[in-house]
Amino acid sequence: MTIFSKIIRGEIPSYKCAENDKFYAFLDINPLAQGHTLVVSKREVDYFFDLTDEELAEMIVFAKQVAAAIKQAFPCRKVGMAVLGLEVNHAHIHLVPLQSEGDMDFRKDKLKLSPEQMQQTAESISRAFAQ
Ligand code: 5GP
């Protein structure tokens, strides 16, 4: 089982932002920017493009709703979307609030947010998602 499946099952804690029957959104533990969120498929599939066409379409629509909540909670120029999957072999989308191109540079130093800041960040996105 992947670390993300353990997170989805609640066996490992996460800062949850949103959820439906097929997808789970939570804060990246090493954020590029405040509000950096991962959208994960509950079905455990390694490679993003091995998801079915239907799953991919539904995942993007769910990510769109999460992105709107991120943008509302953390005003930014755009919310960027990226798929890497080089570290965790469980299909997921990165959503990153962007002020500039460099905010999406995965090689840059990550933000260090306290547990309280992470909790508040997740709650802000979660509240916006529920509206
Ligand atoms: P990727 O697989 O897309 O290359 O990178 C995986 C991402 O998941 C990284 O940005 C990393 O910080 C994040 N990540 C890895 N393990 C955990 C974890 O246990 N909890 C959370 N919230 N994020 C994680």
Side-chain angles (χ1 to χ4, degrees):
M1 189 190 299
T2 69
I3 192 156
F4 286 174
S5 285
K6 289 181 183 165
I7 284 173
I8 292 162
R9 291 159 67 117
E11 293 171 13
I12 292 177
S14 67
Y15 297 99
K16 177 176 157 181
C17 301
E19 181 177 20
N20 69 9
D21 57 331
K22 294 194 179 134
F23 308 107
Y24 187 86
F26 60 106
L27 295 184
D28 193 304
I29 206 72
N30 294 308
L32 287 168
Q34 189 174 17
H36 180 174
T37 300
L38 302 176
V39 173
V40 184
S41 161
K42 288 189 177 177
R43 189 167 80 86
E44 195 178 294
V45 173
D46 172 359
Y47 183 41
F48 183 74
F49 290 115
D50 281 338
L51 289 165
T52 67
D53 292 356
E54 191 183 0
E55 284 171 329
L56 282 170
E58 288 179 355
M59 194 166 175
I60 297 293
V61 172
F62 181 74
K64 174 181 176 177
Q65 294 160 354
V66 177
I70 293 170
K71 198 164 191 302
Q72 190 181 322
F74 296 96
C76 52
R77 285 179 61 194
K78 302 249 165 103
V79 173
M81 181 173 114
V83 174
L84 287 81
L86 296 174
E87 182 187 327
V88 179
N89 295 323
H90 186 148
H92 58 279
I93 293 169
H94 293 257
L95 296 174
V96 184
L98 300 179
Q99 302 297 352
S100 70
E101 194 182 352
D103 293 337
M104 204 82 179
D105 181 354
F106 281 81
R107 292 164 302 189
K108 75 174 191 177
D109 290 342
K110 307 301 186 294
L111 283 188
K112 300 228 184 313
L113 299 178
S114 68
E116 292 75 21
Q117 287 172 313
M118 291 290 274
Q119 186 62 39
Q120 284 166 9
T121 301
E123 281 172 12
S124 300
I125 295 169
S126 182
R127 259 197 309 276
F129 185 82
Q131 282 176 4

